[in-house]
Amino acid sequence: MYKAIKRIGASISVSLTLIIGFGVTALLFLGTCKLEDDAFSLDFERRVMIRVTTLQRGLEEAVQVLTVINRLFATIDSPTRDQFHTFTEPLLEKYPHVQAFSFQRFVAGSERAGFERHMQATYPGFGISTMVDGKIVPAPPRERYLVVDYLEPMQGNRAALGLDLSGNDVVMRALQQAIESGKPVSTGALRLAQASTDERGLLVLVPVYRYGMPLNTVAQRRAAVVGDTTAVFHARVLLQRIFNAVGPLRSEDVEVSVYIGTSADTADLVYRSDNAGTGTLLPSWLGYRKPLHIRRTFNIAGQPWHLEAKSAPIALTANHANSLLILCAGTLLTLLAAAYLYTLSMRSRRIQRTVEERTAELRLTNVLLKEDIHARQQVERALQLRQRAIEASANAIIIMQATAPDYPIEYVNPAFERITGYGAGEVAGRSIRVLQSKDGDAQGFADIWNAMREQREGNVVLRSHNKNGGEMWNDFYIAPVKSDDGQVTHFVAALYDITSMKRYETELEFQANRDVLTGLVNRNMLRKLLEEAIAYAERYQRSLWVVFVDLDRFKFVNDSLGHKAGDVFLKTIAGRLRAAVRDTDTIARLGSDEFVIVISEYTGVGLDTRHLQRIQEAVAAPMTIEGHTFFPTCSLGVAAYPDDGRDAETLVKHADIAMYRAKQNGRDNYQFYTPAMNAQALERLRIEGDLRSALERNEFVLHYQPKIDLRSGAVVGMEALIRWQHPELGMVSPVRFISLAEETGLILPIGSWVIRTACAQTKAWQDAGWSKLRVSVNLSVRQFVQKDLVSSIAAVLKQTGLDADCLELELTESLVMNDVEHAIGILSELKELGVRLSIDDFGTGYSSLAYLKRFPIDVLKIDKSFVRDITVDADDAAITVSIISLAHSLKLHVIAEGVETQAQLSYLRLHGCDEMQGYLFSPPVPAERFGELLQEKSDTVTSTLAISSR
């Protein structure tokens, strides 16, 4: 009975031992499997997301390449085929994944024959074609074609030249979307004409618009489009190279499929990794894990892309080494314990104590084993966490062996691959000097080498180059790693990418020393460069010139077309100045329309005025802005070192003074500085300072010179002429201050005062009984181009009560001929107001008779330079008679100014001149005297005319 009970107890003990042992082993096995599966899933998802990010970046970079190509057509009006080839050649070398760059041009059906003949001169046998069922055939007649005109490279893409894409709905929809959105747009997958297989490709299009057309609205862009620039991509080749940029996928554990679309439609498949479709036929319950499947959809250039990644079935033993070890160990221990317990239970009672002790030892062993397993799991988790942290770090981590002399690389994290472009496989076993280039930071690498040789920490700012040759800056930290016995076995280095910060510093330095608009040296940098040039000239006993360049009448461009057109004008002039001087000379922009050029003398190359003539000729070339053609000129002032100054500030100041003398001499010339100019400049500064307050202090007065009708002898009007009664200088001639008022802008308030005062005085004389008087006032360039000219004159007439036809505005030839169309518009508005218009100094400029008949003018005024010699100079007499005849044929009134002799008067009356003014009858007089002259001159004129008619 005892034996039976003991035998039953032994069976129960063995059974309980097996159940408990297998249960604990199963729990440990399943827990460890779950941890290993989670680690595998996270690692797989991380590697897939790297591919997704890489694909997005690669496709965006491909789109950016096309944007660069399109800038050629936005910058240059109708670039040539050679320019297109030159522009795209380096981009094709830099981006080998681009199949081709092309320019598609819209060709009307009526232009097809001419277009084909033009292209056949370069490409014999050329014809507009289309693709039908994968074959290239001549295109059928259409109202309009979208033809591949420019194509680079031609090798491998010849079949696409002349291809008509207007019948391809995919391409036309993409082009229409690009026009509406104003952004690059990608087509869906399509068959390429240059592809020899059925593999798909895609096009990225950017519209090309007619040069200079407005593009603010969709309607404007549709009206201005003339074609598009296209980047052609072989889809499989493009994606293969993008993926390979961060290292090839391991074909044994993942397959990648890419579709152009929003879903995994077989018709949209453009890429599948080489291992796609591989797998195992064995079910998962035979030891294979179920594959993981990840899907991502994103948008590039208006086109959705869909990526799917699936892991290959992996044997259970591949990543479950620890769990299987626990399973085997637990099972073995459980079986051994059960066998041992069973053996002990069958032994005699006298070894019962030993069995119990051994059982207790076994239990203790199981507890220790659990603790060991738990500790091992914690270590593995810590190692995995550190590994993930290193791989997720935004900074590059490098681990190198402490083996001189090369200190080979043992490990790099993904950030290293992203920053440098080198994959882990490319640098493994190689020296860190793989990052050093010929023109790189040799001293920085030497410091790193010294730190490793001395087995210490080191930190340097390192300039190097990535795999593609691009410059990069890194903050490089290195530290030794020691073993338990204190020996240095490895070095760990961290690379912090500071390239963007360095570029920002370079940009700030550039902006501090360069003019933002033109890119030329600014005022601050000019001083430094000029001082260096002076030091060089002094050291080698050479001369140099400081040339102050000021553009003539630049304010007219700004005032008439706006500051945007003015900026275009200045950038164009800056480019011309660069081309007109040597590379060794310095060009700076001081501000507005002022430039300074430093021309140095070198061995065998002296200083010659031909340098100045070349600058003037470069500036004077015709320029068209917003449909208006300008003929710019410039005034140059030259100061020479060492004669005119020995420091930078003095030389620039004296060159500025010489430039003002050039402007005083009629502009469009150059003047060398002389000491006498300095005194004139000081006087000019004084006059400018006093001129600013003269209007407030009521120092201006008007003098009036009468105009005489040569038929009746009556005083029919007068010209209002401004004078400045300076408190110290006395009566200042307008010659000394009018041009200065023009430059400073004071001419606007002064001119407004003149018109208002002249109108008020004329109205007063009319009220006193001289009802037929008409006053004429000169308009300056600045007054003529001000936007409120017409409204301000209308306000003055309303305020003073003077009739509009009693006010005559005199304009010079050069003023109205500078921009004829603009001048005609302003003159028409003034004419609608009712005022009379006169062309002053007629014959001294470059009037075109074709334009003269379009001007709504009333009077031509013969310049006194012709009147002065009409009795002794046959040419002046002939010109005067011609002007009178021309004016009368155009039904215009003629006034001669500067009449000083009886002979001149007789000649003018003989040839039918209508009116005259001059010292023969009266100089300009103050308003107080003019009223007295009205009656006096009436009698004098009558007698004078009687004499001239004899």
Side-chain angles (χ1 to χ4, degrees):
M1 187 66 180
Y2 173 75
K3 291 183 178 180
I5 294 174
K6 190 173 182 179
R7 193 177 292 113
I8 293 172
S11 300
I12 294 174
S13 298
V14 170
S15 299
L16 289 175
T17 299
L18 291 173
I19 292 171
I20 293 172
F22 287 138
V24 171
T25 300
L27 290 175
L28 292 175
F29 172 74
L30 293 176
T32 306
C33 283
K34 182 64 170 59
L35 292 174
E36 291 173 333
D37 287 342
D38 290 344
F40 176 81
S41 298
L42 288 174
D43 180 67
F44 177 75
E45 184 174 359
R46 177 189 60 79
R47 289 187 287 115
V48 171
M49 290 310 299
I50 288 175
R51 264 57 192 183
V52 172
T53 302
T54 301
L55 177 59
Q56 285 181 289
R57 289 179 180 174
L59 293 174
E60 289 171 356
E61 180 180 341
V63 173
Q64 289 301 319
V65 172
L66 180 60
T67 305
V68 172
I69 296 295
N70 191 261
R71 291 304 303 166
L72 174 65
F73 290 84
T75 305
I76 301 175
D77 186 11
S78 300
T80 65
R81 199 176 304 276
D82 290 338
Q83 289 175 327
F84 186 78
H85 170 76
T86 303
F87 195 78
T88 56
E89 185 176 15
L91 293 176
L92 288 168
E93 294 178 359
K94 184 175 181 181
Y95 303 102
H97 51 270
V98 179
Q99 176 76 18
F101 291 122
S102 64
F103 165 57
Q104 279 78 247
R105 183 191 306 275
F106 279 116
V107 177
S110 60
E111 299 173 350
R112 174 175 178 174
F115 177 74
E116 289 180 336
R117 286 195 300 272
H118 173 73
M119 292 294 290
Q120 286 168 1
T122 305
Y123 303 102
F126 174 87
I128 299 179
S129 59
T130 187
M131 188 164 66
V132 179
D133 297 331
K135 296 181 179 180
I136 304 299
V137 299
R142 298 182 187 274
E143 292 184 2
R144 189 170 71 164
Y145 303 89
L146 181 60
V147 183
V148 178
D149 189 0
Y150 294 1
L151 184 63
E152 293 293 337
M154 191 63 68
Q155 183 177 2
N157 297 289
R158 182 63 176 83
L161 184 65
L163 186 65
D164 173 30
L165 302 179
S166 61
N168 192 317
D169 293 339
V170 175
V171 175
M172 297 308 292
R173 283 197 302 270
L175 180 56
Q176 184 64 27
Q177 182 180 352
I179 295 173
E180 293 177 356
S181 65
K183 299 178 181 179
V185 173
S186 171
T187 67
L190 48 78
R191 171 74 182 275
L192 297 178
Q194 55 265 60
S196 59
T197 64
D198 291 334
E199 291 188 348
R200 301 297 185 89
L202 68 147
L203 308 179
V204 180
L205 306 96
V206 178
V208 174
Y209 302 101
R210 188 172 292 106
Y211 188 79
M213 294 291 288
L215 305 174
N216 298 322
T217 65
V218 174
Q220 289 176 340
R221 291 195 292 272
R222 288 175 177 171
V225 68
V226 297
D228 64 85
T229 52
T230 302
V232 183
F233 301 97
H234 191 295
R236 181 181 59 79
V237 175
L238 171 65
L239 297 177
Q240 186 67 50
R241 288 178 174 171
I242 290 176
F243 286 145
N244 287 343
V246 294
L249 292 168
R250 295 196 300 267
S251 61
E252 68 274 7
D253 60 356
V254 64
E255 64 179 42
V256 177
S257 300
V258 181
Y259 305 83
I260 299 183
T262 57
S263 61
D265 191 342
T266 306
D268 296 331
L269 178 65
V270 294
Y271 173 81
R272 177 168 288 171
S273 56
D274 295 338
N275 58 314
T278 61
T280 178
L281 299 177
L282 297 177
S284 60
W285 56 268
L286 286 181
Y288 283 84
R289 188 188 304 120
K290 183 179 179 180
L292 297 176
H293 203 168
I294 295 179
R295 301 175 177 88
R296 292 292 184 271
T297 302
F298 50 92
N299 190 287
I300 297 295
Q303 178 65 43
W305 291 69
H306 182 75
L307 180 144
E308 293 194 0
K310 183 170 67 175
S311 67
I314 300 176
L316 191 62
T317 57
N319 291 303
H320 287 165
N322 294 331
S323 56
L324 291 175
L325 177 62
I326 292 173
L327 178 62
C328 294
T331 301
L332 180 60
L333 289 174
T334 300
L335 292 174
L336 290 175
Y340 186 67
L341 182 61
Y342 181 77
T343 301
L344 291 178
S345 65
M346 296 296 105
R347 291 184 182 183
S348 61
R349 193 172 181 179
R350 47 186 183 83
I351 60 172
Q352 185 64 36
R353 189 182 299 270
T354 304
V355 172
E356 293 176 357
E357 292 177 356
R358 296 291 177 86
T359 303
E361 291 177 359
L362 181 60
R363 290 173 180 170
L364 179 60
T365 301
N366 287 333
V367 171
L368 293 176
L369 180 60
K370 292 179 182 179
E371 291 178 353
D372 180 65
I373 292 173
H374 180 68
R376 184 172 180 179
Q377 289 175 341
Q378 288 183 328
V379 171
E380 288 179 351
R381 291 193 190 100
L383 289 175
Q384 290 174 354
L385 177 61
R386 292 187 182 96
Q387 180 66 22
R388 288 195 295 269
I390 290 174
E391 293 183 351
S393 173
N395 300 310
I397 306 297
I398 309 168
I399 299 177
M400 297 171 286
Q401 298 176 8
T403 305
D406 294 330
Y407 303 98
I409 296 174
E410 190 171 292
Y411 168 82
V412 293
N413 68 342
F416 176 89
E417 301 178 0
R418 173 176 53 80
I419 293 173
T420 67
Y422 289 99
E426 294 179 272
V427 298
R430 301 177 64 181
S431 168
I432 193 65
R433 289 190 184 275
V434 69
L435 300 178
Q436 184 177 5
S437 58
K438 293 182 180 179
D439 57 344
D441 189 357
Q443 183 59 44
F445 280 96
D447 293 341
I448 295 172
W449 229 252
N450 290 335
M452 290 192 293
R453 189 180 300 112
E454 298 170 7
Q455 297 186 348
R456 59 174 174 81
E457 295 182 358
N459 174 220
V460 296
V461 175
L462 190 66
R463 183 173 70 89
S464 57
H465 292 78
N466 59 26
K467 184 179 180 180
N468 295 328
E471 185 182 62
M472 60 180 183
W473 287 86
N474 297 284
D475 204 349
F476 191 97
Y477 290 87
I478 188 169
V481 178
K482 297 182 180 180
S483 62
D484 294 337
D485 57 1
Q487 296 295 321
V488 176
T489 60
H490 293 81
F491 289 95
V492 62
L495 278 175
Y496 299 89
D497 188 4
I498 58 173
T499 304
S500 58
M501 182 179 70
K502 283 292 186 180
R503 289 175 180 169
Y504 182 65
E505 290 176 357
T506 302
E507 182 179 351
L508 289 179
E509 182 180 358
F510 178 84
Q511 293 179 353
N513 296 323
R514 295 282 178 172
D515 175 58
V516 177
L517 176 64
T518 63
L520 299 177
V521 171
N522 62 11
R523 185 185 298 269
N524 296 331
M525 193 62 180
L526 172 64
R527 178 184 295 274
K528 177 181 177 182
L529 295 177
L530 183 52
E531 288 175 351
E532 292 176 355
I534 291 173
Y536 176 86
E538 183 176 2
R539 183 181 304 114
Y540 295 102
Q541 296 299 305
R542 302 229 168 85
S543 299
L544 64 84
W545 285 351
V546 175
V547 183
F548 202 105
V549 182
D550 187 271
L551 303 180
D552 298 331
R553 301 181 182 89
F554 168 70
K555 295 184 183 300
F556 176 79
V557 179
N558 260 354
D559 295 340
S560 58
L561 298 184
H563 290 285
K564 184 177 180 181
D567 290 345
V568 174
F569 186 90
L570 290 174
K571 287 192 286 187
T572 303
I573 293 297
R576 293 180 176 182
L577 292 177
R578 287 193 191 97
V581 300
R582 301 167 300 183
D583 294 339
T584 54
D585 298 331
T586 298
I587 309 176
R589 181 183 177 221
L590 298 188
S592 186
D593 58 343
E594 296 178 341
F595 300 85
V596 169
I597 303 176
V598 180
I599 303 177
S600 301
E601 179 183 27
Y602 295 99
T603 303
V605 182
L607 297 178
D608 195 309
T609 55
R610 285 176 294 181
H611 293 298
L612 307 178
Q613 294 169 358
R614 190 159 51 245
I615 293 172
Q616 286 186 300
E617 292 170 357
V619 172
M623 183 187 307
T624 301
I625 301 177
E626 297 182 0
H628 300 275
T629 301
F630 297 93
F631 297 88
T633 60
C634 63
S635 300
L636 308 182
V638 185
Y641 172 85
D643 297 337
D644 300 331
R646 305 188 68 87
D647 60 87
E649 183 176 356
T650 302
L651 288 172
V652 173
K653 182 181 73 173
H654 288 172
D656 189 11
I657 293 173
M659 180 275 295
Y660 275 105
R661 170 55 63 87
K663 282 191 173 292
Q664 293 173 357
N665 289 348
R667 298 185 174 92
D668 193 19
N669 68 94
Y670 59 85
Q671 295 291 324
F672 285 85
Y673 171 79
T674 62
M677 294 180 182
N678 199 28
Q680 295 177 354
L682 293 176
E683 180 188 7
R684 182 180 182 278
L685 288 175
R686 178 185 178 183
I687 292 177
E688 180 181 348
D690 294 343
L691 187 61
R692 293 185 181 277
S693 56
L695 198 59
E696 299 175 0
R697 295 191 299 230
N698 296 320
E699 295 176 359
F700 291 116
V701 295
L702 287 184
H703 285 192
Y704 299 89
Q705 187 173 37
K707 293 182 179 180
I708 311 301
D709 186 285
L710 292 182
R711 295 182 180 86
S712 65
V715 177
V716 294
M718 59 280 179
E719 180 177 3
L721 300 169
I722 190 170
R723 298 292 185 267
W724 181 11
Q725 186 63 49
H726 194 280
E728 298 177 5
L729 301 177
M731 190 67 72
V732 180
S733 170
V735 176
R736 296 178 63 184
F737 69 86
I738 287 297
S739 62
L740 186 58
E742 283 271 7
E743 295 176 12
T744 59
L746 294 173
I747 195 66
L748 294 179
I750 293 175
S752 178
W753 176 86
V754 170
I755 294 176
R756 185 171 58 256
T757 303
C759 289
Q761 182 62 66
T762 304
K763 179 62 176 174
W765 283 327
Q766 290 178 349
D767 294 342
W770 303 92
S771 59
K772 299 298 183 180
L773 285 181
R774 182 176 65 251
V775 66
S776 63
V777 180
N778 290 283
L779 278 186
S780 69
V781 175
R782 278 181 173 268
Q783 287 178 281
F784 188 68
V785 298
Q786 64 178 335
K787 294 182 179 179
D788 60 345
L789 173 64
V790 178
S791 60
S792 64
I793 292 177
V796 168
L797 293 173
K798 182 178 180 181
Q799 179 184 357
T800 60
L802 184 69
D803 293 336
D805 62 350
C806 293
L807 174 63
E808 182 176 301
L809 300 177
E810 295 190 5
L811 308 100
T812 63
E813 278 189 89
S814 58
L815 186 149
V816 296
M817 291 303 296
N818 197 20
D819 188 344
V820 173
E821 298 300 330
H822 183 67
I824 290 175
I826 297 177
L827 293 176
S828 299
E829 293 181 13
L830 290 171
K831 195 61 183 173
E832 290 177 2
L833 188 62
V835 300
R836 289 169 60 88
L837 300 175
S838 171
I839 298 296
D840 193 10
D841 300 336
F842 185 77
T844 61
Y846 300 94
S847 293
S848 169
L849 298 182
Y851 286 120
L852 183 61
K853 67 180 183 180
R854 296 177 58 191
F855 292 145
I857 59 176
D858 303 290
V859 180
L860 288 184
K861 196 169 186 179
I862 304 174
D863 186 66
K864 60 185 177 182
S865 63
F866 300 122
V867 174
R868 183 174 58 248
D869 297 325
I870 55 175
T871 59
V872 295
D873 190 318
D875 291 338
D876 286 348
I879 292 174
T880 301
V881 172
S882 298
I883 294 175
I884 295 173
S885 176
L886 171 65
H888 288 166
S889 65
L890 293 176
K891 296 180 175 55
L892 302 178
H893 213 62
V894 185
I895 300 177
E897 64 176 351
V899 179
E900 299 179 355
T901 67
Q902 187 67 44
Q904 294 170 350
L905 174 61
S906 299
Y907 188 89
L908 292 171
R909 289 196 67 198
L910 177 64
H911 290 90
C913 184
D914 300 305
E915 297 178 13
M916 68 87 185
Q917 66 184 85
Y919 277 60
L920 177 62
F921 297 97
S922 172
V925 295
E928 297 81 13
R929 284 282 302 142
F930 190 80
E932 302 172 3
L933 286 175
L934 287 175
Q935 182 60 45
E936 296 174 6
K937 287 299 178 182
S938 178
D939 299 337
T940 305
V941 170
T942 301
S943 61
T944 304
L945 291 178
I947 295 172
S948 65
S949 62
R950 295 175 183 172

